[in-house]
């Protein structure tokens, strides 16, 4: 199922992101987690591609498993280390697996990246253009309420975002943020620039204090004082940290829905219990 129509229904979409196994031996564990999350019947599930040192080999397979559970899948695809032949091969693979939705990304630079070397893809916009020309996919793109970490100003980042959307992006998903006012300010500026596609708010329930410090360093996402105090208080008590992280995310989502966002995308890190807690606690808020 193509995702285009989800946002025409007039209710907030609710979706989860999962990641494929990092090595062969993890496949069954990931499969079980993905199936269990799919049973919650989100509007769709996205599957990352080579993020966080993980492999890209299983993205299509995990996306196929998501769809076998009756949930539409959104497969991520990055282009920074690929050439046009490789991308064509990936698109054929996704099509053969029955996947109709792609999140088109540049990807983070690999350690040996040489900016001067000739290459087919420098930015996600060129990937969007190629997927659009290939046809048959609904296309999502990434956006950054606090600005992308490499970009000198948010204004410039938004200009590049507009160029990317104009190449054929159907919807955007945001980087995680912990202060909703960052999203509201971003949306205001994006709409003023003429970016009108649906923007899904990316929310991460923080369940592990150590892990979030690393993610924040890489993404440039800031932590509000209120959340820093939660991390300080609960970092050495994993159960309390998890409970507080899920409640913080739920409060963020209530506020986002109250302020009219079109979709909530939860970075659920393959944790079915976290996905279940949010689904159950927010069922009425999300009209599910
Ligand atoms: P782009 O849109 O290409 O932007 C990258 C940078 O280039 C920005 O600073 C932008 O302002 C700048 N730029 C764009 N066009 C131009 C131009 N013409 N001239 C100069 N500068 C320009 N990574 C993975 O490896 N796998 C994943 O599965 C994955 N999933 C993600 C999902 C989401 C929702 C998000 C928000 C990120 C995800 N990432 C993933 C991380 C992403 O790959 C990185 O953030 C990457 O650094 C940027 O990707 P992008 O598609 O946003 O790039």
């Amino acid at each position: 199922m193509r995702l285009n129509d989800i946002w025409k229904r007039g209710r907030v979409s609710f979706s989860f992101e999962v990641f494929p196994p990092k090595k062969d031996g993890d496949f069954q564990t990931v499969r079980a987690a993905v199936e269990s999350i799919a049973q919650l019947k989100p509007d769709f599930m996205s599957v990352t591609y080579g993020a966080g040192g993980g492999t890209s080999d299983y993205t299509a397979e995990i996306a196929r498993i998501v769809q076998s559970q009756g949930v539409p899948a959104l497969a991520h695809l990055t282009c920074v280390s690929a050439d046009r032949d490789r991308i064509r091969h990936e698109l054929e693979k996704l099509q053969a697996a029955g996947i109709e939705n792609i999140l088109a990304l540049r990807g983070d630079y690999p350690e040996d990246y040489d900016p001067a070397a000739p290459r087919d893809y420098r930015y996600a916009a060129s990937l969007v253009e190629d997927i659009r020309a290939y046809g048959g996919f609904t296309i999502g793109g990434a956006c950054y309420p606090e600005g992308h970490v490499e970009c000198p100003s948010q204004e410039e980042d938004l200009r590049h975002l507009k160029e990317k959307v104009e190449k054929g992006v159907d919807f955007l998903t945001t980087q995680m943020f912990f202060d909703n006012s960052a999203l509201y300010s971003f949306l205001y500026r994006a709409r003023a620039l003429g970016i009108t596609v649906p923007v899904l708010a990316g929310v991460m329930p923080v369940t592990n204090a150590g892990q979030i410090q690393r993610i924040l360093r890489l993404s440039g996402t800031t932590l509000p004082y209120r959340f820093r105090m939660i991390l300080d208080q609960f970092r050495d008590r994993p159960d309390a940290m998890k409970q507080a992280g899920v409640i913080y995310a739920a409060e963020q989502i209530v506020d986002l829905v109250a302020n009219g966002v079109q979709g909530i995308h939860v970075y659920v890190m393959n944790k079915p219990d976290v996905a279940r807690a949010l689904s159950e606690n927010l069922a009425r808020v999300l009209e599910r």
Side-chain angles (χ1 to χ4, degrees):
M1 179 200 159
R2 302 278 290 264
L3 298 184
N4 301 55
D5 293 333
I6 288 190
W7 301 286
K8 294 182 188 150
R9 295 169 317 190
R11 81 171 163 77
V12 182
S13 67
F14 187 57
S15 50
F16 294 119
E17 178 178 296
V18 294
F19 54 83
K22 295 197 167 137
K23 47 186 187 329
D24 293 350
D26 296 340
F27 189 85
Q28 291 310 334
T29 314
V30 171
R31 182 188 191 122
V34 165
E35 287 178 351
S36 170
I37 294 168
Q39 278 164 20
L40 300 167
K41 297 291 170 216
D43 290 306
F44 69 91
M45 284 167 69
S46 78
V47 185
T48 64
Y49 183 92
T55 171
S56 53
D57 295 346
Y58 292 113
T59 299
E61 176 59 8
I62 297 293
R64 196 195 56 72
I65 290 170
V66 166
Q67 296 207 147
S68 75
Q69 303 298 303
V71 175
L74 168 68
H76 296 201
L77 180 62
T78 66
C79 59
V80 69
S81 305
D83 59 18
R84 289 217 148 78
D85 286 347
R86 172 72 197 252
I87 291 298
R88 191 168 183 88
H89 169 75
E90 292 293 330
L91 295 179
E92 286 165 359
K93 194 162 107 182
L94 290 170
Q95 205 170 39
I99 310 305
E100 298 174 287
N101 310 289
I102 297 180
L103 189 71
L105 299 148
R106 187 198 69 186
D108 286 320
Y109 293 130
E111 270 170 24
D112 57 356
Y113 185 82
D114 173 5
R119 54 188 72 245
D120 287 347
Y121 298 101
R122 293 206 176 271
Y123 302 109
S126 312
L127 178 62
V128 171
E129 209 171 6
D130 282 1
I131 301 173
R132 186 58 71 203
Y134 184 92
F137 292 103
T138 289
I139 306 171
C143 63
Y144 303 83
E146 297 176 69
H148 184 256
V149 69
E150 286 163 29
C151 206
S153 77
Q154 294 192 8
E155 206 186 321
E156 191 179 327
D157 201 30
L158 270 168
R159 273 203 311 275
H160 295 316
L161 181 64
K162 180 152 196 249
E163 287 156 16
K164 178 164 72 175
V165 170
E166 284 171 349
K167 296 286 186 201
V169 167
D170 296 299
F171 69 95
L172 294 164
T173 306
T174 76
Q175 176 67 282
M176 75 187 85
F177 55 90
F178 296 96
D179 178 352
N180 288 357
S181 62
L183 180 82
Y184 303 144
S185 155
F186 167 80
L187 283 175
Y188 180 79
R189 287 173 295 133
R191 298 306 186 212
L193 254 189
I195 299 173
T196 56
V197 294
V199 176
L200 315 188
V203 173
M204 175 175 271
V206 175
T207 57
N208 175 318
Q211 176 193 49
I212 194 64
Q213 300 293 7
R214 202 182 59 249
I215 294 174
L216 293 177
R217 247 194 337 272
L218 293 174
S219 67
T221 304
T222 55
L223 276 187
Y225 181 75
R226 190 165 93 84
F227 197 78
R228 285 213 310 270
M229 295 314 287
I230 292 174
L231 281 183
D232 277 358
Q233 184 66 13
F234 302 121
R235 67 171 64 251
D236 298 325
R237 292 167 51 206
D239 287 347
M241 184 64 239
K242 193 168 181 175
Q243 195 168 49
V246 171
I247 292 171
Y248 189 94
E251 284 183 0
Q252 247 192 302
I253 293 170
V254 170
D255 182 70
L256 289 165
V257 174
N259 280 280
V261 296
Q262 283 163 290
I264 304 286
H265 191 62
V266 183
Y267 298 113
V268 77
M269 308 296 282
N270 293 9
K271 293 194 173 81
D273 56 339
V274 172
R276 183 170 298 282
L278 286 175
S279 289
E280 288 175 359
N281 284 316
L282 294 166
R284 301 289 170 270
V285 168
L286 293 164
E287 299 180 76
R288 300 185 61 76

